[in-house]
Amino acid sequence: MDLTELLSWACIVFTVGMFSTGLTDLKKMRESKSADNIQFLPFLTTCLNNLGWLFYGTLKRDHTIVVVNVIGALLQTLYIIMYFFYTKQKRLVMLQTLAAAAVLICGWLYFTTFLTEGEARLNQLGLSCSVVTISMYLSPLTDLVAIVRSGNVQVLSFPLTVATFFTSTSWVLYGLQLNDYYIMVPNTPGIFTSLIRFYLFWKFAPTSQSSPSYKPLHI
């Protein structure tokens, strides 16, 4: 097994493990018969991100990206369906889902109709996916600022932070191995945010902590 294949398997295992953390919220919904205190938008945005990277992996003919994001999209779809089943705000969830579908269709039409095949399409798609992934990695920074001010890390999961660190690191190394900056650059913030969380755990963590609700990860 060469280095590229080893990194490929690391990316698949760690990332699928990340996506599977949503099963915790799924269990909560089934047990309580309610979607209260569980956020819907992370499921929806992660699903869109998975589909974007799936298109990129298909154009690039990279089986690692394809496999990870097929599994991710299927899991996020499951979470979305179950959330819709248990939520009391079905109208809002439906409108948000339709809006996301409209964005997806518009994006698909743009990349398949207005862009010629080849490097131009691949580069623009890679850039678009990278921007979305970076924004999703950086979005929890406001929560981290609040944690610094309160000194309460109960809302963070140490196992999830460890997994995020290894997932981001594996994708950065995989991107370096392939010389693909669209894979490497957007996953770099995940390493830094994980290191910030490690520091917060070291400084503020109590002797016991509860498990938080699900927060998704992207390629």
Side-chain angles (χ1 to χ4, degrees):
M1 180 182 293
D2 60 15
L3 180 59
T4 301
E5 188 176 356
L6 179 63
L7 290 172
S8 171
W9 277 107
C11 290
I12 292 173
V13 171
F14 287 130
T15 310
V16 171
M18 285 285 79
F19 292 143
S20 299
T21 57
L23 294 172
T24 302
D25 279 350
L26 189 61
K27 181 180 179 181
K28 290 179 182 177
M29 287 188 284
R30 292 188 61 185
E31 290 177 348
S32 64
K33 307 298 181 183
S34 171
D36 294 343
N37 300 320
I38 295 176
Q39 295 180 330
F40 173 69
L41 286 180
F43 297 140
L44 190 60
T45 54
T46 303
C47 186
L48 287 178
N49 199 38
N50 287 147
L51 293 173
W53 281 111
L54 175 58
F55 190 18
Y56 179 82
T58 302
L59 293 180
K60 190 178 174 65
R61 297 182 180 179
D62 187 309
H63 76 278
T64 304
I65 298 177
V66 170
V67 169
V68 164
N69 287 285
V70 164
I71 297 174
L74 290 174
L75 284 173
Q76 302 307 319
T77 300
L78 172 63
Y79 304 150
I80 289 170
I81 293 172
M82 296 305 294
Y83 189 97
F84 182 79
F85 181 78
Y86 287 114
T87 186
K88 299 175 183 177
Q89 299 179 315
K90 287 185 170 54
R91 179 180 175 83
L92 177 60
V93 169
M94 180 62 71
L95 289 175
Q96 291 174 335
T97 304
L98 290 175
V103 170
L104 183 65
I105 292 172
C106 290
W108 182 79
L109 289 174
Y110 172 74
F111 284 109
T112 57
T113 304
F114 296 100
L115 290 179
T116 56
E117 295 184 9
E119 288 298 317
R121 177 190 291 180
L122 188 64
N123 288 336
Q124 286 205 28
L125 180 60
L127 180 61
S128 299
C129 291
S130 296
V131 169
V132 173
T133 300
I134 290 173
S135 64
M136 293 179 71
Y137 267 129
L138 297 181
S139 61
L141 285 180
T142 53
D143 294 334
L144 297 182
V145 171
I147 291 171
V148 170
R149 291 174 177 172
S150 66
N152 181 11
V153 292
Q154 294 289 334
V155 295
L156 294 179
S157 166
F158 187 76
L160 187 58
T161 301
V162 173
T164 302
F165 176 78
F166 283 112
T167 300
S168 301
T169 301
S170 62
W171 280 112
V172 168
L173 294 176
Y174 184 69
L176 280 171
Q177 184 70 10
L178 298 181
N179 197 29
D180 189 329
Y181 290 98
Y182 296 125
I183 297 175
M184 180 184 67
V185 173
N187 286 284
T188 302
I191 298 176
F192 289 109
T193 56
S194 296
L195 292 175
I196 293 173
R197 293 183 185 189
F198 284 136
Y199 171 75
L200 294 178
F201 275 112
W202 173 77
K203 187 172 183 179
F204 298 119
T207 55
S208 62
Q209 69 168 335
S210 57
S211 299
S213 60
Y214 166 68
K215 291 187 178 181
L217 272 224
H218 340 278
I219 163 192

